[in-house]
Amino acid sequence: QVQVAESGGGLVQAGGSLRLSCTASGLTIGDVTVAWFRQALGKEREGVSCIWGTEGRTYINYGDSMKGRFTISRDNSKNTVHLQMNDLKPDDAGIYLCAALQMDGTCLLGRYKYWGQGTQVTVSS
């Protein structure tokens, strides 16, 4: 049974930082595409970042508004993907969801087989 779990959300002031983690069980993170999405109240779900590839070659992509502020990384020894978020803005608030094993489409727009429950990020202005 595959499970994906997020952690690390919380309340932060604008300009602050948070580090989210996505840990999987029953699935090897290094073998699949893993992505972060966010869902804000009243808005469509948005692709934040994704990572895929083997240790010899890793590929990464970011949503436009995250470039330069967010960094995704993978720790295969802990079967975990991290999302470091810096210079957070009120518009970054929402539920951040981790997804694993892309089934189709591009990594920020495609469908995924496994989803976590999400972790809340709140940014105060």
Side-chain angles (χ1 to χ4, degrees), residues 37-48 93 95 97 109:
F37 294 84
R38 68 186 182 194
Q39 180 76 62
L41 197 62
K43 296 183 180 180
E44 291 187 359
R45 188 169 63 199
E46 179 182 17
V48 174
I95 297 174
L97 300 141
L109 295 175

Side-chain angles (χ1 to χ4, degrees), residues 38-60:
R38 68 186 182 194
Q39 180 76 62
L41 197 62
K43 296 183 180 180
E44 291 187 359
R45 188 169 63 199
E46 179 182 17
V48 174
S49 183
C50 49
I51 185 168
W52 73 99
T54 66
E55 289 197 26
R57 189 76 182 263
T58 301
Y59 301 89
I60 288 172

Side-chain angles (χ1 to χ4, degrees), residues 101-107 109-112:
L101 211 170
Q102 180 185 352
M103 297 192 293
D104 59 22
T106 63
C107 77
L109 295 175
R111 294 184 302 151
Y112 285 78

Side-chain angles (χ1 to χ4, degrees), residues 7-71:
S7 62
L11 171 64
V12 64
Q13 288 188 329
S17 299
L18 281 174
R19 187 190 194 210
L20 306 184
S21 297
C22 171
T23 301
S25 59
L27 172 147
T28 301
I29 286 283
D31 291 343
V32 300
T33 299
V34 176
W36 285 96
F37 294 84
R38 68 186 182 194
Q39 180 76 62
L41 197 62
K43 296 183 180 180
E44 291 187 359
R45 188 169 63 199
E46 179 182 17
V48 174
S49 183
C50 49
I51 185 168
W52 73 99
T54 66
E55 289 197 26
R57 189 76 182 263
T58 301
Y59 301 89
I60 288 172
N61 199 6
Y62 296 98
D64 288 341
S65 65
M66 298 85 180
K67 291 177 181 176
R69 300 188 298 124
F70 291 12
T71 303

